[in-house]
Amino acid sequence: MPTVLFWNLNRRGLTEEVSQLCRIHSVDILVLAEAGLSDLKFQRQLSRETGSAYIAPYNELSSRIRFFFRYPSESIRPAADSYGLSIREIRPPLGRSVLIAGVHLSSKRHADREEQLFQARDAVAKIAETEENLGHSRTLVIGDFNMNPFEGGLVDADSFHGVMTMHIAQKQDRNVRKMKRKFFYNPMWSRMGDGSEGPAGTYYYQRSRNREFFWHTFDQALIRPALLPSFRRENLKILTAVGSRSLLTEGEISSGYSDHLPIMIELTTELEGL
Amino acid sequence: MSSVKNMWGELPKTEELPDLPIKVLKEQGSLLTEATDGTLIGEVAVLNGDSSKFRAALRIKAPSLNNYIFSILQIEYPLMIYPVDIVDQTVNRRSICKNLKEYEERLEQVLSSDRVKSVILALLAQISANTSLEDAYEAAGR
């Protein structure tokens, strides 16, 4: 039952908080963006806090994402690396292999809409190529997309093609101008606004612009239809506390931690039928 | 028999045609493959571009690491060849090259960068370690 935690740390280190989350939620795969500190510092704190060894293989190949695994080293294989995208194949001791793609695409401060779309399309093409290469699409994409679920990079058919219902995703794909485009299910559609479970988003930002969303859901987990049998909606969470410490202050993200909230997803890869 | 007047002027000969940016990429890819005896493959992939541009990518492929792929750069160029747009995918830096000289200079900067060198070193070390381990298992099995 791999539990995957993603957190953009905004270069704040936060080794204690990360390690506590890993212990509290029994995290198997930790994915970090803007980690700020060395792998070794995280590994030491993780080991101290959880009593488990987290390995960090192949992070030298990755430019924007760090992975930490509570698995034996032979269970992890690198699949692809590019700017803002790192894909690893996980062959857990029990169950079938899955692909975990960690993403951290450029922020709106450093990339305009076209550049963000370019990066999203490029990432999806690499994910699809890896799936074809490995012969399966049991893929979870998790990370900081720096785009909301409703933006082109997440929705467009030639991009992530993330849809808001499992029912649509289960159709696997659709033809767009004679090209077959595979779906992702994007459960983060159901995590926006204050009518949703948990906070209104994963990132809070306010300026004096005419169009202001305040809350953004930049941190997302996208699931290919082939992995949907191992996913339950209640197993995706935007975390708002580390133990008794809240990551929120007066309805906004506390400045004492990162400017992003962590997200966590639990998959049951041992389920029959995958 | 009357001779036909050539109104085209002097047409370019095949050997005078300019090298396409993708050809230069393929040559550099082959160099990596040869230098590592095929342990790493310098692979050029042709990508779908918009109708007015050609796109290609240079990547390092490691066949013995489950066909692991490390993306180095992408190029994009028009039918008229220049300017060539290079995206260094190790740091996400975009540059525009107005001619072959600028293109080759930029390419060299990326390919000989510390980042690319360290990735090649890490991959070769990993593959070498895996091979030693497999040899040891094989020897123990005998």
Side-chain angles (χ1 to χ4, degrees), chain A:
Chain A
M1 249 193 213
T3 299
V4 186
L5 176 82
F6 171 79
W7 199 359
N8 180 329
L9 298 181
N10 192 28
R11 302 184 198 289
R12 300 291 289 273
L14 304 176
T15 52
E16 269 185 40
E17 291 80 359
V18 167
S19 303
Q20 283 172 24
L21 285 178
C22 287
R23 175 181 53 76
I24 294 164
H25 300 286
S26 198
V27 169
D28 299 298
I29 302 170
L30 169 66
V31 188
L32 298 178
E34 299 191 28
L37 295 173
S38 70
D39 288 352
L40 200 59
K41 285 192 173 151
F42 281 100
Q43 285 174 286
R44 280 186 186 146
Q45 188 62 33
L46 282 164
S47 169
R48 208 173 293 145
E49 179 72 34
T50 66
S52 299
Y54 282 78
I55 60 167
Y58 312 114
N59 278 351
E60 299 84 356
L61 302 171
S62 169
S63 58
R64 306 248 294 167
I65 289 288
R66 306 252 207 103
F67 289 100
F68 299 86
F69 301 97
R70 199 172 60 166
Y71 285 123
S73 58
E74 59 268 25
S75 294
I76 317 299
R77 290 187 184 199
D81 280 282
S82 181
Y83 182 82
L85 171 75
S86 291
I87 312 175
R88 303 289 178 260
E89 187 185 21
I90 320 299
R91 300 179 170 193
L94 285 174
R96 300 180 71 177
S97 67
V98 292
L99 284 171
I100 308 284
V103 303
H104 182 202
L105 304 184
S106 290
S107 81
K108 294 182 190 303
R109 289 174 202 169
H110 301 111
D112 59 19
R113 188 177 162 275
E114 290 305 312
E115 179 61 27
Q116 285 196 308
L117 266 176
F118 172 82
Q119 287 185 23
R121 285 183 190 133
D122 189 50
V124 168
K126 284 179 175 120
I127 291 166
E129 184 182 357
T130 304
E131 290 172 337
E132 197 175 322
N133 178 27
L134 297 177
H136 71 81
S137 59
R138 293 184 296 275
T139 308
L140 168 72
V141 187
I142 191 163
D144 176 4
F145 293 74
N146 270 307
M147 286 177 276
N148 280 297
F150 49 80
E151 291 186 62
L154 270 300
V155 177
D156 291 355
D158 64 350
S159 207
F160 276 100
H161 207 192
V163 294
M164 65 175 84
T165 71
M166 286 173 93
H167 176 74
I168 297 171
Q170 275 157 348
K171 294 176 182 170
Q172 309 287 330
D173 53 46
R174 69 184 173 114
N175 283 320
V176 181
R177 293 181 185 165
K178 296 182 181 171
M179 282 194 75
K180 194 175 270 189
R181 304 286 190 178
K182 282 204 268 188
F183 288 121
F184 273 106
Y185 171 52
N186 188 354
M188 302 307 288
W189 275 101
S190 330
R191 297 292 196 276
M192 291 188 285
D194 62 1
S196 67
E197 183 198 323
T202 65
Y203 179 80
Y204 186 90
Y205 187 63
Q206 181 184 352
R207 284 198 306 190
S208 57
R209 295 176 298 192
N210 187 41
R211 180 186 294 173
E212 196 59 78
F213 293 108
F214 302 94
W215 278 99
H216 299 266
T217 305
F218 290 161
D219 306 279
Q220 299 169 59
L222 274 64
I223 305 154
R224 279 285 198 217
L227 199 55
L228 282 179
S230 69
F231 173 69
R232 294 192 179 92
R233 283 187 194 94
E234 63 271 24
N235 289 347
L236 170 73
K237 288 185 171 63
I238 301 173
L239 301 177
T240 56
V242 179
S244 57
R245 285 178 291 170
S246 176
L247 299 173
L248 302 175
T249 307
E250 295 174 359
E252 296 174 18
I253 297 175
S254 167
S255 59
Y257 304 97
S258 169
D259 51 355
H260 289 251
L261 293 173
I263 60 171
M264 190 179 73
I265 184 166
E266 188 184 335
L267 298 171
T268 55
T269 52
E270 293 90 340
L271 282 181
E272 294 296 320
L274 267 186

Side-chain angles (χ1 to χ4, degrees), chain A residues 63 83, chain B residues 72 88-94 106 115:
Chain A
S63 58
Y83 182 82
Chain B
I72 304 176
D88 174 355
Q89 293 198 293
T90 66
V91 290
N92 197 39
R93 187 179 302 141
R94 196 179 280 267
R106 183 71 193 115
R115 174 74 180 135

